[in-house]
Amino acid sequence: MGRFASTASLYEHLRPPYPREFFRTVTRKLGLTKDSSLIDLGTGPGLLALGFGPYVGRVVGVDPEPAMLDAARRAAASAGQALTLIEGKAETLADDIGSFDVVTIGRALHWMDREPTLARLDRLVARDGAIAICASFSATDGSNAWLDGYNEIRRRSSPAILWEEAGRGTRTHRDLPTFFRGSAFAPTELIAVETRHAVSVQDLTQRVLTYSSSSPEALGDNVEAALRDVENHLASFHRDGAITETIVSTAQIVTR
């Protein structure tokens, strides 16, 4: 079973969303058109692939987890979008896959092996193409008053799991200047879009289970206790069963 097999059914609907304005903004910045091609590495349930889909001509998603690809396939069918899906890792893609105008990577770069990934990116990115390292996370500037306690419960519930994600936003995407140092690529512009949305206490509680460090597999017998603690914590922050969440969606553009 893959690392995210136990989170696939929840991931698509419960992780902090990428808003439409994010996709429009990145599309304008990169000059993408219906003649453009995009490949999304570590596509998961296809959040980035399907979000950019209406703005480009060809979209390919790659992921090693079959359950995630099944979720992406269902989402594409529901949206009526064409999406080519490949089971595998970015590092081991076949040479004949060709090049793309933009390579997107969401919450996945920290799982990739640096040297083979850089070698593959050198072939995947078209001559005038770009890489977009994307993230969407709860703002950590104090606007989400519930967040620190929420993350502390996750940390406490799964002490044996390497703490990689909670409350750190772009931390999940490595130190990008270091990652790309010595390669043909370098980070350039950072695009950030801030939005707010209402999320139910139930969904925010269940979101705990979508992270690898607090997935059902990682929590084991602590699942029910962790969910109960999170729900109790959120009780003082909601109004009519919903909490207003400030989301920051970012795309770090990387070019040759």
Side-chain angles (χ1 to χ4, degrees):
M1 179 181 290
R3 187 183 298 270
F4 287 94
S6 62
T7 73
S9 62
L10 302 171
Y11 196 106
E12 177 184 1
H13 302 292
L14 299 181
R15 278 295 185 100
Y18 291 97
R20 292 181 181 178
E21 181 56 30
F22 169 77
F23 295 110
R24 287 195 292 264
T25 299
V26 176
T27 294
R28 287 196 299 268
K29 290 286 187 179
L30 295 180
L32 301 177
T33 70
K34 283 294 186 180
D35 293 325
S36 302
S37 57
L38 179 149
I39 186 168
D40 184 32
L41 305 181
T43 195
L47 302 183
L48 289 173
L50 296 174
F52 283 112
Y55 302 99
V56 299
R58 179 190 177 209
V59 185
V60 176
V62 180
D63 201 279
E65 179 55 65
M68 285 294 189
L69 293 178
D70 287 342
R73 194 172 292 110
R74 290 192 298 270
S78 177
Q81 290 192 35
L83 175 59
T84 300
L85 294 170
I86 299 173
E87 182 179 337
K89 295 183 177 182
E91 302 94 314
T92 57
L93 283 171
D95 291 338
D96 61 2
I97 194 170
S99 61
F100 294 80
D101 297 297
V102 61
V103 175
T104 57
I105 304 174
R107 304 174 180 100
L109 189 63
H110 55 300
W111 301 117
M112 297 179 183
D113 293 332
R114 181 178 181 272
E115 294 302 329
T117 297
L118 289 174
R120 180 54 55 194
L121 288 172
D122 197 41
R123 296 186 179 189
L124 284 177
V125 181
R127 180 178 179 182
D128 296 319
I131 304 166
I133 310 295
C134 303
S136 192
F137 51 90
S138 304
T140 58
D141 59 1
S143 56
N144 294 311
W146 50 270
L147 184 61
D148 287 346
Y150 181 91
N151 285 336
E152 176 56 33
I153 293 168
R154 284 188 53 218
R155 184 182 296 110
R156 187 173 67 242
S157 299
S158 188
I161 302 300
L162 178 63
W163 192 249
E164 298 184 60
E165 298 169 301
R168 300 191 184 186
T170 54
R171 160 65 178 86
T172 62
H173 301 284
R174 290 184 163 181
D175 175 354
L176 293 185
T178 298
F179 184 80
F180 288 102
R181 185 173 298 148
S183 74
F185 302 97
T188 55
E189 181 178 7
L190 177 66
I191 300 170
V193 175
E194 183 175 300
T195 56
R196 291 174 177 81
H197 75 138
V199 57
S200 72
V201 169
Q202 180 181 6
D203 283 355
L204 195 53
T205 300
Q206 290 287 317
R207 185 188 292 172
V208 165
L209 303 179
T210 70
Y211 298 93
S212 63
S213 53
S214 55
S215 67
E217 183 182 13
L219 291 176
D221 294 338
N222 291 334
V223 169
E224 294 303 322
L227 294 180
R228 184 175 60 251
D229 288 349
V230 169
E231 187 170 7
N232 289 340
H233 166 69
L234 295 175
S236 60
F237 296 98
H238 74 82
R239 175 177 296 182
D240 298 325
I243 290 175
T244 299
E245 180 180 24
T246 301
I247 297 290
V248 179
S249 302
T250 62
Q252 175 64 66
I253 307 303
V254 180
T255 58
R256 294 182 189 276

